Amino acid sequence: DFVMTQSPDSLAVSLGERATINCKSSQSVLYSSNNNNYLAWYQQKPGQPPKLLIYWASIRASGVPDRFSGSGSGTDFTLTISSLQAEDVAVYYCQQYINTPITFGQGTRLEIK
Amino acid sequence: DVQLAESGGGLVQPGGSLRLACVASRFSFSNCWMHWVRRAPGKGLVWLSGINADGSRTNYADAVKGRFTISRDNAKNTLYLQMNSLRAEDTAVYHCVAFGGNSNDAFDIWGQGTMVSVSS
């Protein structure tokens, strides 16, 4: 199975500052035939279902603000929030979907400092 | 808006069964892979099972293989999860999820979830 490990487990950032969350896969999620990384990022707020932010490692989903960006390839990935807003307080998950079982990282809790 | 709505959760005794249903609306359900994902209290997201668009292919996590069965009825725009031999560790909120239902190549439509509690 692909093991997804996020760091840190929790993070406190001041409003307007940059937040960075890392995700490492135990195996490459890059599919050579189409050069796509099968890596997505989700945001989950209390009492709500998860929301897709980023897919193919760096493509923002429909309606996602451009302060959210994804980068990386192969086994190492990063989600960056360029200027933290109060509404960004949530738990963030990375996910690989190149192979079953589809697996998620353990989650990173983002709070306001 | 596109929507998924789960039902069928509740309190069940260990060893019991439940059948979850998920009704899709305002997107092309019959063209999408569909999945079930759960989140236990205080824990993270766990993928359980997926089914392809016509229902001919299914995948399961080891934790539920042999106990849970995913199925779909495209004529009714409905996804199902039959859960047998339930255990305390199956207690969680269960979400149905569409892959690509909103033209994003990932889990881009999520239901609100239905709570399953397994306890005597």
Side-chain angles (χ1 to χ4, degrees), chain B:
Chain B
D1 276 355
V2 297
Q3 191 174 6
L4 291 168
E6 302 94 339
S7 61
L11 176 63
V12 62
Q13 291 187 339
S17 297
L18 279 177
R19 189 193 197 201
L20 306 183
C22 170
V23 177
S25 54
R26 293 185 284 279
F27 72 96
S28 186
F29 174 81
S30 61
N31 288 334
C32 292
W33 270 84
M34 296 295 298
H35 301 264
W36 288 97
V37 173
R38 72 185 180 191
R39 186 179 186 189
K43 300 291 183 64
L45 300 172
V46 175
W47 173 85
L48 300 177
S49 183
I51 187 168
N52 71 339
D54 67 8
S56 61
R57 288 175 57 193
T58 58
N59 305 110
Y60 296 93
D62 284 347
V64 304
K65 198 174 295 182
R67 299 190 299 127
F68 291 10
T69 302
I70 191 172
S71 61
R72 65 192 298 161
D73 184 338
N74 285 345
K76 295 182 178 179
N77 279 354
T78 303
L79 177 72
Y80 301 100
L81 187 67
Q82 176 67 44
M83 304 187 296
N84 299 330
S85 304
L86 283 161
R87 307 165 179 166
E89 54 266 34
D90 295 318
T91 294
V93 175
Y94 286 70
H95 297 277
C96 64
V97 194
F99 185 102
N102 217 7
S103 303
N104 300 289
D105 289 332
F107 287 13
D108 65 348
I109 305 174
W110 292 70
Q112 280 292 128
T114 186
M115 182 70 202
V116 171
S117 297
V118 184
S119 174
S120 55

Side-chain angles (χ1 to χ4, degrees), chain A residues 49-76:
Chain A
K51 173 188 174 183
L52 175 66
L53 296 176
I54 302 285
Y55 62 98
W56 297 144
S58 62
I59 307 298
R60 266 189 303 277
S62 314
V64 174
D66 61 6
R67 65 179 181 274
F68 291 92
S69 64
S71 63
S73 184
T75 61
D76 292 278

